[in-house]
Amino acid sequence: MARAGPMGANGKDGVALNLLVDGGKHPKALLALEDGSYFFGRSAGAEGETFGEVVFNTSMIGYQEIASDPSYAGQIVTLTYPQIGNYGINEKDMQASELHLAGLIVHDMCYEPSNWQSVISFPDFLAERGVVAIEDIDTRALTLKIREGGACKAAISTTDLDPESLVARVRASEPISEHNYVADVSCDETYVVPAAGECRHKVVAYDCGEKRGIAKRLAAVGCEVTVVPWDTPADKALAMSPDGIFFSNGPGDPESVPPVVDAVRACLGKLPIFGICLGNQLLSIAAGATTFKLKYGHRSHNQPALMVGTNKAVITSQNHGFAVNTDTLGPDWEPYFVNLNDGTSEGIRHKRLPFFSVQFHPEACGGPRDTEYLFDDFVAMMKGGC
């Protein structure tokens, strides 16, 4: 079994044990956190080392969608479900063509998946894509540490197995807030996702790290989706004569992408606007609100949200580390949904005009589909057509 170092899972003397690792097939690996704690385990992906912000996701399924979600750029993701990889990897569940997460932490990795759609095992997939991963970690202890101390800088390494050295390098690494990850994950060129069936409306979607499932869901409700890079000027987007504008999910601090906020402001009052996750935060900033970093974020498939002014609760899929302070919204705006666990904002809407956004993911991929109707609401707001 892996052991934690000082201030780690066991709080003991932190002596690193000599792990027996599959006869050398899976090299030793070390996870180090900036608070000085460390965990020894074994490699479950690519060899090497990676630095990022360590967070956790409590979903029981959907590891492929999590790993391929661009919103995890810069983050080392801890999956709390005990065994990961049971049903392998398939192409249809990919949410992006590349993997952008910084690294992965699991308790027990499955190397022989069983599913008719699987084309490769999860650890082999991670290794092929260059993602450093570690297993044999007490993910319960690590998750409690993150809940108590908050998301923090961390590293996984198969090359630097000296805890003191790796902790020092973690502390010297760049904070996630100092980098624009949206620029890393957005598309380089404009492309079009055709409507599934009859084209009812044309939508321009700002790609801040958009999951494939979002464009597919827009297409499913009759939208031809023109996906544009994150820094596309609003006048260029509006010149495409869309019936609506969409702002996507994405990684990092919403304050780090002012060009997108400028685009939101320029589009307000001209066309219906819909935003998801980071798109919700960007619309909120454009509406006068401020945002703040959550202690450890919302990352799961079972987050309950209440539609403000009703008794209607929905179960949602979420992945975000920042939230909106709706008390700072402009007078023409109002909260749309609130989180029933901690009372934080889960969406905003304009009191009169067709502008709204949500913090959760109504397209799921993976997760519950309670709020797919929001795509229909967006369509109903648009005029004109293909």
Side-chain angles (χ1 to χ4, degrees), residues 2-3 24 36 38 44 46 56 68 128 130 138 149 162 174 184 203 210 235 251 266 282 303 310 327:
R3 294 291 187 268
Y38 56 88
F56 65 86
S68 58
E128 281 189 1
D138 187 342
D162 178 350
E174 180 185 57
D184 296 341
V203 171
E210 184 178 71
D235 58 355
L282 298 174
Q303 290 282 334
T310 75
D327 291 339

Side-chain angles (χ1 to χ4, degrees), residues 200-216:
R200 299 166 58 190
H201 295 286
K202 294 183 178 181
V203 171
V204 167
Y206 273 77
D207 178 11
C208 299
E210 184 178 71
K211 292 170 61 182
R212 284 180 178 174
I214 292 175
K216 287 181 179 179

Side-chain angles (χ1 to χ4, degrees), residues 59-87:
S59 302
M60 296 176 67
I61 59 170
Y63 56 80
Q64 179 175 343
E65 291 91 335
I66 292 168
S68 58
D69 182 349
S71 293
Y72 281 112
Q75 294 180 321
I76 298 173
V77 184
T78 306
L79 298 179
T80 63
Y81 192 70
Q83 187 176 64
I84 299 297
N86 306 62
Y87 51 88

Side-chain angles (χ1 to χ4, degrees), residues 223-244:
C223 296
E224 178 186 278
V225 186
T226 301
V227 183
V228 300
W230 72 281
D231 57 352
T232 300
D235 58 355
K236 184 175 180 180
L238 294 170
M240 298 176 186
S241 300
D243 302 310

Side-chain angles (χ1 to χ4, degrees), residues 46-176:
E47 296 182 34
E49 61 184 23
T50 187
F51 292 77
E53 179 184 63
V54 65
V55 299
F56 65 86
N57 187 304
T58 61
S59 302
M60 296 176 67
I61 59 170
Y63 56 80
Q64 179 175 343
E65 291 91 335
I66 292 168
S68 58
D69 182 349
S71 293
Y72 281 112
Q75 294 180 321
I76 298 173
V77 184
T78 306
L79 298 179
T80 63
Y81 192 70
Q83 187 176 64
I84 299 297
N86 306 62
Y87 51 88
I89 296 293
N90 65 79
E91 175 56 34
K92 73 178 184 66
D93 290 331
M94 291 292 292
Q95 295 303 303
S97 57
E98 302 295 333
L99 303 189
H100 297 285
L101 76 169
L104 190 73
I105 302 166
V106 303
H107 174 65
D108 180 28
M109 182 70 82
C110 176
Y111 290 84
E112 297 182 0
S114 178
N115 187 284
W116 67 273
Q117 297 180 101
S118 177
V119 296
I120 189 173
S121 72
F122 191 32
D124 286 345
F125 174 71
L126 293 172
E128 281 189 1
R129 300 301 181 97
V131 177
V132 179
I134 187 171
E135 68 170 320
D136 274 355
I137 293 296
D138 187 342
T139 51
R140 295 171 298 178
L142 177 59
T143 299
L144 286 173
K145 177 176 285 292
I146 297 170
R147 283 180 60 92
E148 292 168 0
C152 63
K153 294 190 293 183
I156 304 171
S157 181
T158 63
T159 56
D160 185 354
L161 300 179
D162 178 350
E164 185 175 347
S165 168
L166 194 57
V167 167
R169 294 171 63 209
V170 167
R171 290 171 175 167
S173 64
E174 180 185 57
I176 192 171

